[in-house]
């Protein structure tokens, strides 16, 4: 079923696998039906009403397992609702401890309340948002006989990135390690590591990949991963050249006007993205982590 980018909606991506696509490129929230109840992957309290309706529409069973791919607010902020339904909440240990730190800070809790004033009163015990389980490396779950793989990828988009693979359904949930057709801020990204991570992801056989933002890529998982890798390689190469030519951080977004992926959605986020990639590249260059020949290779054709 087609989902409107502005309105958001529910996409049916595989047998028993749905994605609530957030309005205007807000985060994707996975809903996976199993014989032992529903699995939720990521949640954003801002879109509480939309995700709740989507969950009710596809199943009358409670969420039994909630998985957080990372600790940005748009990926874990309905954990308390799922916990009250009896769900076990899982993330990487890095992500679990980062959520624990955030939920110990009044400013962060206040920020979550402001994301959706209509349900702010529900956030009474911030500890309820902290995942029960933090996994160090990987876990294989068996739910209703089905193998489900959770892989902690390291620090690419964010420290503690986790991806969730359903090999028997051919669906990979990539979290914000992958964006499809939309820009993101990349404010905590390690770009080199993110590119290496996408190479690893491209090696996981899957038909369909669900990015953290942008429409689910049905039947073209590998291509979507390769495209985002190209986005980052091209962006890193262009920014490396601009820094070498003395362009300042304040000018970098303007200098990239019309670049290869300029047409992607959420263009309002691109100036922030360009600044963060600039900072990431600049410190590597300052500490000579790249030499000239690497820059040429990395920049690609
Ligand atoms: Zn996100």
């Amino acid at each position: 079923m087609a989902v409107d980018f502005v309105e958001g909606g529910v996409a049916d991506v595989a047998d028993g696998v749905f994605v609530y696509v957030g309005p205007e490129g807000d985060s994707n929230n996975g809903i996976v039906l199993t014989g032992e109840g529903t699995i939720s992957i990521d949640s954003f309290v801002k879109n509480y009403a939309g995700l709740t309706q989507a969950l009710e529409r596809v199943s009358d069973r409670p969420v039994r397992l909630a998985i957080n791919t990372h600790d940005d607010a748009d990926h874990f902020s309905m954990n308390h609702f799922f916990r009250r339904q009896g769900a076990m909440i899982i993330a990487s240990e890095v992500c679990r401890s980062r959520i624990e730190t955030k939920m110990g800070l009044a400013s962060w809790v206040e920020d979550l309340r402001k994301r959706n004033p209509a349900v702010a009163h529900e956030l009474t015990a911030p500890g309820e948002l902290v995942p029960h389980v933090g996994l160090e490396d990987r876990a294989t779950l068996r739910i209703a006989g089905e193998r489900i793989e959770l892989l902690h990828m390291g620090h690419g988009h964010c420290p503690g990135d986790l991806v969730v693979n359903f090999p028997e359904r051919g669906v990979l949930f990539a979290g914000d390690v992958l964006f499809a057709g939309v820009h993101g801020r990349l404010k905590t990204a390690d770009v080199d590591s993110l590119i290496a991570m996408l190479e690893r992801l491209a090696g996981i056989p899957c038909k369909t990949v669900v990015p953290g933002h942008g429409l689910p890529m049905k039947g073209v998982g590998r291509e979507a991963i390769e495209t985002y890798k190209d986005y980052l390689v091209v962006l890193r190469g262009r920014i490396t050249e601009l820094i070498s030519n003395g362009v300042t951080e304040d000018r970098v977004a303007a200098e990239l006007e019309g670049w290869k992926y300029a047409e992607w959605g959420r263009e309002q986020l691109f100036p922030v993205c360009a600044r963060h990639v600039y900072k990431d590249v600049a410190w590597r260059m300052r500490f000579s982590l790249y030499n000239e020949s690497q820059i040429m290779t990395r920049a690609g054709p």
Side-chain angles (χ1 to χ4, degrees), residues 3 9-13 18-21 28 171 173 180 208-211 213-220 224:
V3 173
V10 182
D12 180 349
V13 300
F18 303 88
V19 176
Y20 173 71
V21 179
N28 287 323
V171 181
F173 285 85
T208 292
V209 69
V210 182
H213 298 263
L215 293 175
M217 293 287 139
K218 206 169 166 179
V220 287

Side-chain angles (χ1 to χ4, degrees), residues 41-42 67-71 75 95 160-162 164 173-176:
I41 300 165
D42 288 346
I67 302 170
N68 302 147
T69 60
H70 62 291
D71 66 280
H75 296 266
C95 173
D161 284 323
L162 181 88
V164 189
F173 285 85
D176 284 3

